Amino acid sequence: MPSYAITGAARGIGFEFVNQLSADSGNIVFALVRNEATANKLKELGRHNVHIIEADITNNKALKYAAAEVSRLTGNSLDYLINNAGFVESEREGLTLDSYSSEELLTKDLLDSFNINVVGIIHTINIFLPLLKNGKAKTVVTLSTGLGDLDMTMGSELITSGPYSISKAAVNMVNAKYAAQYKSEGFIFLAISPGLVDTSTRAPTEKELEQLMAMIGKFRNAYPDFTGPITPETSVRMQLEVINRITVNDTGAFISHKGNKEWL
Ligand SMILES: NC(=O)c1ccc[n+]([C@@H]2O[C@H](COP(=O)([O-])OP(=O)(O)OC[C@H]3O[C@@H](n4cnc5c(N)ncnc54)[C@H](OP(=O)(O)O)[C@@H]3O)[C@@H](O)[C@H]2O)c1
């Protein structure tokens, strides 16, 4: 029975991974959520093969508890870890690195992004590695973004979202480090960008809409035909197609939902 653990699974792309993977009753899916009380969508799915476990990825004790639960229910193994949980400071997303109103706020956004999007991912991988070693698929997927790609940044001239983009560029290196270390053991480490995905849970404020339109405008510098965000359903379906066809020869790759360096 293939087993999957997905972090940040209460909503957005993480929820959709759980939804699509658990539709196959032959899979066992562990939905790691920051707060079980707000995981209503997962509970409403009502699938017997979905196990909801509370784990903030900045809390190693909680991650270890989650790994112990997975171990108990799978007989000490895990096939796929999907590092989906991620942080973006939406209030200040539209700022450039030199336009913050205070040095303290800039430092805060850089450290918060690094702490969740990089340090949290490394601890999650380390804590689940013993189970993954006993799994068949030995696959670790980490959600990254085209914003962490140097060519995309230069091609689009997207100068905002600095702390987020920097942290995702760093996690691409995390992916490469593990890939280089564990290739000989048959592991696949993949950093994947899901495309631009509409995961909003409410109508955007005027400022958020303005920021989104500015970002889309920049994306069109690199992708003139880009029309706008895709749905979580489409993104996850395309990501799963990529995940299902990659092999150990591809380990360490940083690619998009399209399976290449086309980010949108
Ligand atoms: N949407 C896009 O267009 C897009 C594009 C490129 C990359 N990505 C990446 O894809 C991933 C999912 O994106 P999304 O749009 O679905 O995000 P989202 O809607 O903002 O959801 C983020 C999820 O991560 C969880 N999370 C945040 N901090 C966490 C922590 N410390 N510990 C555990 N969980 C935590 C959140 O939990 P709560 O529900 O408790 O808040 C939420 O479930 C992220 O890594 C993101 O960077 C998204």
Side-chain angles (χ1 to χ4, degrees):
M1 196 177 213
S3 51
Y4 295 81
I6 298 129
T7 63
R11 59 190 168 97
I13 294 168
F15 168 79
E16 189 54 29
F17 267 116
V18 176
N19 183 31
Q20 292 191 22
L21 288 167
S22 64
D24 180 343
S25 59
N27 291 333
I28 180 164
V29 182
F30 299 97
L32 274 57
V33 300
R34 195 152 49 161
N35 180 358
E36 199 176 337
T38 59
N40 299 330
K41 279 181 77 176
L42 282 170
K43 290 176 194 157
E44 281 160 19
L45 265 184
R47 302 231 173 103
H48 73 280
N49 56 342
V50 174
H51 301 269
I52 303 172
I53 307 172
E54 238 179 39
D56 185 311
I57 65 162
T58 61
N59 179 342
N60 289 348
K61 201 172 153 202
L63 285 170
K64 284 175 188 165
Y65 170 78
E69 274 298 284
V70 171
S71 174
R72 187 175 66 79
L73 291 159
T74 59
N76 202 26
S77 76
L78 177 66
D79 290 309
Y80 297 85
L81 170 64
I82 302 182
N83 287 309
N84 166 78
F87 168 77
V88 61
E89 168 40 69
S90 52
E91 263 291 293
R92 296 181 283 278
E93 218 183 342
L95 299 179
T96 58
L97 288 170
D98 62 357
S99 63
Y100 271 69
S101 61
S102 83
E103 291 167 352
E104 288 73 22
L105 267 184
L106 173 60
T107 301
K108 180 182 181 333
D109 287 358
L110 286 164
L111 294 182
D112 285 349
S113 302
F114 199 79
N115 195 31
I116 297 169
N117 297 343
V118 185
V119 181
I121 304 280
I122 294 172
H123 286 302
T124 307
I125 294 172
N126 286 344
I127 287 167
F128 280 94
L129 257 178
L131 298 182
L132 289 156
K133 285 182 182 179
N134 294 334
K136 282 202 181 80
K138 295 184 172 48
T139 298
V140 177
V141 177
T142 297
L143 273 284
S144 184
T145 167
L147 299 185
D149 181 64
L150 304 186
D151 291 339
M152 171 69 173
T153 301
M154 294 308 292
S156 63
E157 297 178 357
L158 188 70
I159 56 177
T160 55
S161 302
Y164 175 72
S165 308
I166 293 164
S167 68
K168 292 291 190 176
V171 89
N172 292 340
M173 180 55 79
V174 170
N175 183 61
K177 289 287 179 194
Y178 281 105
Q181 183 176 356
Y182 285 103
K183 184 173 184 177
S184 62
E185 291 184 33
F187 267 84
I188 301 170
F189 282 87
L190 172 69
I192 193 164
S193 166
L196 182 65
V197 189
D198 183 2
T199 52
S200 54
T201 48
R202 52 167 175 76
T205 62
E206 210 169 299
K207 188 179 166 193
E208 285 166 346
L209 196 61
E210 205 176 287
Q211 282 177 8
L212 178 66
M213 293 318 289
M215 190 182 267
I216 289 177
K218 290 291 184 187
F219 286 156
R220 290 212 178 102
N221 288 336
Y223 295 87
D225 298 332
F226 177 64
T227 49
I230 55 176
T231 62
E233 290 79 6
T234 301
S235 170
V236 168
R237 180 177 43 73
M238 293 177 77
Q239 289 183 73
L240 286 174
E241 282 168 16
V242 175
I243 293 165
N244 288 335
R245 71 169 177 263
I246 54 165
T247 70
V248 71
N249 293 326
D250 307 307
T251 191
F254 164 42
I255 51 181
S256 74
H257 59 308
K258 297 184 173 178
N260 53 29
K261 295 276 185 191
E262 206 180 312
W263 305 115
L264 292 168

